[in-house]
């Protein structure tokens, strides 16, 4: 009897374990502050800068970027140079805007740069609420000098649908914050990358974030044009 009871209890436990619904991996933790998930640990990702970033007075334009800008460093620096705009390009993959502004402040070149370009924000879709402080910090750092900020388009193809559904809405939140700040601060100039990427998806790689070679050319031209307008 005791053996039969134990056998029945074990069978019941096994049946419960087999039939209980599994928790989907993407639901194992909260979906982040804004639904798009959690940003990766950017401190562990790739970092690069052109040598001019370390020399005060070496660059008229300081560009601070993330992995999208890192793809474009050679082209962007070269095209700025062809426009007679000496430049520094500093990038760190997956970095949000607030630590990016702190990085700009730490660069010797920034003290004498005429324009600060913030090609960041892609990673702010994970927590857009941090962006207003970053915008304010960038404007303080610039001390009235022009700040050119590239807005964002994020629609990740390689993530689960429950998280991807928040990417474009959060991109629009980030972009609305930038537009509102530009309305209050004449020195802030926004490059509308979102509109161009949304209208021309072929400019993006299959991941829905980074750019193709053509996308790099278009984005570079937009940034160079915006810098020239800001300096006019």
């Amino acid at each position: 009897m005791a053996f039969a009871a134990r056998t029945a209890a074990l069978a019941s436990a096994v049946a419960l374990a087999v039939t209980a619904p599994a928790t989907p991996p993407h639901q194992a933790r909260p979906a982040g502050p804004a639904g798009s998930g959690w940003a990766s640990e950017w401190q562990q990702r790739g970092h690069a800068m052109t040598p001019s970033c370390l020399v005060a007075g070496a660059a008229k334009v300081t560009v601070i970027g993330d992995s999208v800008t890192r793809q474009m460093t050679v082209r962007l620096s070269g095209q700025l140079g062809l426009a007679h705009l000496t430049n520094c390009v500093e990038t760190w993959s997956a970095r949000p805007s607030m630590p990016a502004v702190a990085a700009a402040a730490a660069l010797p070149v920034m003290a004498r740069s005429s324009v600060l370009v913030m090609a960041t924000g892609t990673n702010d879709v994970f927590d857009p609420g941090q962006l207003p402080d970053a915008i304010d910090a960038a404007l303080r750092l610039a001390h009235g000098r022009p700040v050119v900020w590239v807005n964002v388009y994020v629609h990740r193809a390689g993530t689960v649908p429950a998280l991807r559904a928040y990417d474009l809405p959060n991109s629009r939140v980030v972009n609305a914050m930038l537009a509102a700040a530009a309305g209050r601060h004449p020195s802030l100039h926004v490059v509308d990358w979102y509109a161009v990427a949304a209208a021309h998806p072929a400019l993006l790689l299959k991941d829905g974030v980074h750019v193709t070679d053509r996308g790099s050319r278009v984005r570079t031209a937009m940034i160079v044009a915006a810098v020239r307008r800001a300096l006019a």
Side-chain angles (χ1 to χ4, degrees):
M1 291 290 292
F3 176 78
R6 288 196 299 271
T7 301
L10 178 60
S12 177
V14 170
L16 180 62
V18 170
T19 59
T23 301
H26 66 273
Q27 293 182 7
R29 59 180 181 174
S36 283
W38 296 90
S40 60
E41 295 183 359
W42 61 268
Q43 296 92 335
Q44 309 303 318
R45 305 295 291 275
H47 177 233
M49 70 175 76
T50 55
S52 55
C53 295
L54 299 176
V55 181
K60 192 169 188 177
V61 181
T62 295
V63 180
I64 305 297
D66 50 28
S67 59
V68 179
T69 309
R70 190 174 187 185
Q71 289 181 269
M72 303 163 39
T73 294
V74 173
R75 174 173 280 136
L76 179 56
S77 181
Q79 290 300 308
L80 285 168
L82 288 174
H84 306 290
L85 296 167
T86 54
N87 59 87
C88 143
V89 181
E90 189 267 5
T91 61
W92 202 319
S93 299
R95 181 178 57 188
S97 292
M98 183 56 103
V101 175
L107 292 176
V109 73
M110 186 59 212
R112 299 183 190 173
S113 286
S114 300
V115 182
L116 171 62
V117 176
M118 295 297 298
T120 68
T122 300
N123 300 287
D124 292 311
V125 300
F126 299 105
D127 190 2
Q130 303 296 315
L131 184 63
D133 287 343
I135 296 171
D136 289 344
L139 292 168
R140 287 194 302 271
L141 174 63
H143 293 297
R145 293 170 289 178
V147 175
V148 173
W149 206 305
V150 186
N151 75 10
V152 306
Y153 182 94
V154 178
H155 199 206
R156 294 169 296 165
T159 191
V160 295
L163 302 182
R164 186 173 188 249
Y166 287 91
D167 284 353
L168 288 179
N170 287 339
S171 296
R172 290 191 286 268
V173 169
V174 166
N175 297 341
M177 290 174 173
L178 286 168
R184 298 189 303 270
H185 302 280
S187 63
L188 178 59
H189 307 262
V190 177
V191 176
D192 195 1
W193 173 244
Y194 180 98
V196 173
H200 304 282
L203 298 178
L204 300 173
L205 295 175
K206 291 181 180 179
D207 67 3
V209 178
H210 296 90
V211 292
T212 62
D213 183 69
R214 182 175 169 227
S216 172
R217 293 197 302 270
V218 171
R219 187 175 161 104
T220 293
M222 292 175 70
I223 293 172
V224 173
V227 169
R228 296 182 74 169
R229 287 194 301 269
L231 288 171

